[in-house]
Amino acid sequence: MRRARRLAVLGILASLGGCATAEVEVQRTTEGPTAQQVFESRFQEGYGRPPTFAETLQFRVEQEQQISDYLVRHPELSTSPRVSQFTFHPRILVGMTKEEVVLLVGEPSGATPDQARMQEAAKRFLPSIKPPATEMWAYPGGWQFFFDNDFLVD
């Protein structure tokens, strides 16, 4: 009985070890995370716990004010279909400017123009990013955004 238990424990540990060394699959999408998803990932990473309801509500209130201020400074967006990207369901989308990305999800936790680091992050997708990426921004939760100068391309 003890031997069977030991073998079971060893089998479980071996399978967990295999999970820990598995490579994360890189996926490509034209729709990135919502502003709240990045907020929650950043909060979890910084505080080691999820945000409370009050903290999430405060984030939403502050974000709505920032978006409102941004739309006042950019009245051309107020009548554009793009306004829904900011107001109804704030989410990162291909075509946004760096300023718009920062508005929704804040400053990146890392940024690089290094092609080798972008290749490592994007894996097989980097050659198909058109126009070619000139910079990569990293965010909590494993999100990486690729820019061609000022515009999000992937």
Side-chain angles (χ1 to χ4, degrees), residues 8-105:
V9 169
L10 285 174
I12 291 171
L13 289 175
S15 67
L16 288 176
C19 292
T21 59
E23 187 174 321
V24 175
E25 182 182 344
V26 174
Q27 296 182 10
R28 189 173 181 204
T29 178
T30 56
E31 269 191 15
T34 64
Q36 186 165 336
Q37 286 172 317
V38 174
F39 163 73
E40 290 171 354
S41 293
R42 181 173 273 147
F43 196 97
Q44 180 75 38
E45 190 176 277
Y47 295 102
R49 65 173 177 83
T52 64
F53 176 78
E55 291 162 336
T56 301
L57 185 60
Q58 181 66 30
F59 163 76
R60 288 181 183 167
V61 167
E62 289 173 2
Q63 185 181 51
E64 285 176 14
Q65 185 60 54
Q66 290 172 346
I67 290 170
S68 177
D69 294 345
Y70 181 79
L71 292 174
V72 166
R73 289 191 314 271
H74 298 276
E76 70 281 3
L77 287 177
S78 296
T79 58
S80 166
R82 290 187 54 220
V83 76
S84 66
Q85 295 172 348
F86 302 104
T87 55
F88 300 117
H89 194 56
R91 173 180 293 276
I92 302 302
L93 297 169
V94 167
M96 287 184 157
T97 65
K98 287 180 177 179
E99 181 183 21
E100 293 166 346
V101 171
V102 170
L103 170 71
L104 292 184
V105 295

